């Protein structure tokens, strides 16, 4: 009997070691890895083949708030070069490609009475090309580019937009839903709403500080929910896809352990992420209490007759609550948070009454407000797990900006260290993350920063008449990751994730030998092989043990 327990211990401790090694740096079976772009940032073809004008066409042509005065008129020209994009995706070995549809390319005025067939053809071609190459399309319906005519009616500040968004969504489900199984209704409503707050922010640059943001937020949330319900009622039984929304999250870390700083942190989380997430994913629905109380209180002190935060009706709360199949999370950075000194001057308090700060030791990126804080990803995933019943999370964006060099070691470090923190959240904390998306496939138009910073794994050569795409070194490492389904040990060493003495199974030289592969043939090979050897070992010792004790 004693021998039996010794034997069982041997097996379980071997399992423990092996499981520990594998768990931290290996992607779970069925985990999906992808990469993203958005229509306005990459497509170009801004006035071609029947496309209507949208708010970013107008903003980039007219506003002084784009630092290099550039536009997305041509951008990476994916409207013409999408086949090259798909080739790059094949080289990367991704499971899915997240791209957005330009509303005004399909419906030039925004309304459904006029459909632009050339626009429909373009997206059909792209979707078919992806599927031909075994790459799943993950489609964003709205990534910031509202048809101008709808903006002329007030845009997202006008609640009636929810009807027009639902009409547009019905067109998309009907035309593409036979092949598209992953839908993101709206990408980053926080940034979209910001465009209704300050003129120098994002398109449409409406100057309505304190009011416009909440009006837009309200319409965006109800619009998302209406589309989710539409899918449920009219399409789900036939198309069997999934519908979610993408929210932008930053992690806020209390500056000190004081109760005040912790409360300030929670307030910041609830205002930025919770304001959009709680109505959809929260147990009771509606905006978080701290948001309602704070905006109601300050609005009253300011002399408004009603809160600047537009209320949901009880019906709307019920429609919005639970309108999800997954939680789309964009994560780029984290900030420190602390409480300001207490004051009785309610009227002059900002709604988010928190002092934000930087981390002095964090790596910087080309976008000054995106400090590199990989551990923040693990923390925010745990926060979401706790707040929203461990909802399935798709990381819909995570990316690093630099000046565009091909040898982009910092991007690779960013990628590996963030994936590593995500895998810790999955394996060690039980967070329900089902997919990871790197932002972005291509260098592209970075909104108000124009072309001054780059996020792509492929450099786009705008001065070349063919607008060529060149893989950066991060692209090679990314393709290793998608192929091997675990993280490269040498980069984990560089980022300090593992110690130097761990045997290195990869080499940097190996990467320079263009390890491109077909998406279909190479997925999961390493996982399968290492898993296979482990199971052979386990079977041998177990059978041996059985003979030994009997
Ligand atoms: C936006 C992208 C943008 C990225 C980097 C995201 O939140 O969705 O369009 O390029 O941030 O700033």
């Amino acid at each position: 009997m004693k021998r039996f327990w010794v034997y069982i211990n041997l097996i379980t401790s071997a399992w423990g070691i092996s499981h520990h090694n594998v768990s931290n740096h290996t992607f779970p079976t069925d985990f999906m890895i992808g990469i993203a772009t958005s229509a306005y940032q990459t497509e170009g073809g801004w006035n071609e083949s029947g496309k209507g004008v949208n708010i970013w066409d107008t903003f980039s042509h007219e506003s002084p708030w784009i630092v290099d005065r550039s536009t997305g008129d041509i951008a990476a020209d994916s409207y013409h070069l999408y086949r090259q994009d798909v080739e790059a995706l094949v080289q990367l070995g991704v499971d899915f490609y997240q791209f957005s549809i330009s509303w005004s390319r399909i419906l030039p005025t925004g309304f459904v009475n006029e459909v632009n067939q050339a626009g429909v053809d373009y997206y059909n071609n792209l979707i078919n090309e992806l599927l031909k190459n075994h790459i799943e399309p993950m489609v964003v319906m709205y990534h910031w580019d509202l048809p101008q005519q709808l903006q002329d009616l007030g845009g997202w500040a006008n609640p009636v937009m929810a009807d027009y968004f639902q009409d547009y969504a019905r067109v998309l489900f009907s035309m593409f839903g036979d092949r598209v199984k992953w839908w993101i209704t709206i990408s980053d409503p926080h940034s979209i709403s910001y465009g209704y707050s300050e003129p120098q922010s994002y398109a449409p640059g409406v100057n309505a500080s304190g009011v416009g943001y909440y009006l837009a937020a309200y319409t965006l949330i109800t619009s998302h929910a209406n589309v989710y319900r539409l899918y449920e009622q009219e399409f789900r039984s036939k198309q069997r896809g999934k519908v979610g929304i993408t929210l932008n999250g930053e992690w806020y870390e209390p500056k000190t352990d004081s109760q005040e700083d912790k409360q300030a942190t929670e307030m910041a989380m609830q205002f930025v992420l919770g304001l959009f997430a709680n109505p959809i994913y929260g147990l009771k629905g509606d905006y978080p209490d701290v948001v309602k109380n704070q905006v109601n209180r300050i609005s009253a002190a300011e002399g408004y007759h009603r809160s600047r935060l537009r209320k949901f009706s009880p019906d709307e709360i019920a429609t919005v609550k639970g309108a999800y199949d997954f939680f789309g999370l964009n994560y780029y950075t984290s900030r420190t948070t602390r409480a300001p000194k207490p004051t009785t001057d309610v009227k002059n308090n900002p709604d988010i009454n928190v002092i934000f700060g930087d981390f002095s030791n964090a790596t910087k990126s080309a976008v000054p407000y995106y400090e590199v804080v990989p551990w923040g990803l693990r923390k925010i995933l745990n926060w979401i797990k706790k707040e929203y019943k461990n909802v399935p999370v798709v990381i819909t964006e995570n990316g690093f900006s630099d000046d565009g060099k091909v040898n982009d070691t910092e991007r690779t470090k960013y990628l590996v260290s963030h994936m590593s923190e995500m895998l810790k959240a999955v394996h060690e904390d039980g967070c329900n993350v089902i997919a990871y998306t790197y932002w972005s496939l291509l260098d592209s138009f970075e909104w108000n920063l124009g072309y001054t910073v780059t996020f792509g794994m492929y450099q786009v050569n705008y001065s070349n008449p063919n607008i060529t795409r060149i893989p950066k070194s991060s692209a090679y490492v990314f393709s290793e990751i998608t192929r091997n389904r675990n993280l490269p040990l040498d980069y984990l060493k560089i980022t300090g994730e593992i110690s130097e003495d761990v045997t290195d199974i990869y080499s940097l030289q190996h990467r320079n030998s263009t390890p491109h592969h077909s998406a279909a043939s190479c997925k999961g090979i390493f996982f399968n092989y290492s898993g296979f050897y482990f199971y052979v070992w386990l079977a041998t010792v177990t059978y041996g043990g059985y003979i030994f004790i009997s």
Side-chain angles (χ1 to χ4, degrees), residues 9-20:
N9 277 342
L10 261 176
I11 292 174
T12 49
S13 57
W15 166 264
I17 293 164
S18 170
H19 185 68
H20 177 77

Side-chain angles (χ1 to χ4, degrees), residues 37-38 41 98 143-144 187-188 191 202 246-249 330-332 367 369-370 396-401 439-440 444-447 449 453 455:
T37 58
S38 86
Q41 294 177 276
Q98 186 200 127
H143 198 126
W144 307 14
S187 175
D188 189 2
S191 301
Y202 296 130
T246 281
L247 305 180
N248 207 47
N330 287 356
Y331 174 83
Y332 286 87
V367 176
Y369 40 84
Y370 283 161
T396 39
E397 287 183 34
N398 175 237
F400 179 79
S401 59
W439 179 272
S440 173
S444 61
F445 176 79
E446 180 51 32
W447 311 115
L449 296 174
V453 300
F455 282 85

Side-chain angles (χ1 to χ4, degrees), residues 14 18 46 50 64 75 84 87 135 140 173 180 184-185 210 213 223 300 328 344 349 360 366 369 382 391 447 467 550:
S18 170
W46 79 281
Q84 290 186 25
E87 269 168 37
I135 298 168
V140 178
F173 289 143
V180 173
I184 294 167
T185 53
Y213 180 90
S223 299
T344 49
N349 269 351
S360 50
Y369 40 84
N382 273 281
V391 49
W447 311 115
I467 316 192
S550 53

Side-chain angles (χ1 to χ4, degrees), residues 6 34 104 140-141 150 174 204 277 349 418 433 446 457 522 549:
V6 170
S104 63
V140 178
M141 296 177 167
L150 295 180
S174 312
N349 269 351
H418 282 77
V433 186
E446 180 51 32
M457 281 194 181
C522 290
I549 57 174

Side-chain angles (χ1 to χ4, degrees), residues 7 35 41 76 133 139 169 189 201 220-221 234 284 311 317 347 351 361 390-391 410 413 467-468 476 481-482 526:
Y7 211 80
I35 199 159
Q41 294 177 276
N133 287 286
V139 175
S201 57
L220 288 159
I221 294 166
E234 294 182 25
K284 292 192 302 184
K311 279 200 181 83
I317 291 178
K347 194 173 155 195
D351 291 351
N361 54 358
N390 212 7
V391 49
E410 287 302 318
K413 283 201 246 170
I467 316 192
T468 43
Y476 295 103
I481 294 172
T482 61
F526 183 77

Side-chain angles (χ1 to χ4, degrees), residues 420-439:
S420 171
E421 291 296 328
M422 176 194 71
L423 289 176
K424 283 181 206 162
V426 171
H427 294 302
E428 294 174 31
D429 311 334
C431 294
N432 193 5
V433 186
I434 58 171
Y436 172 92
T437 319
Y438 179 77
W439 179 272

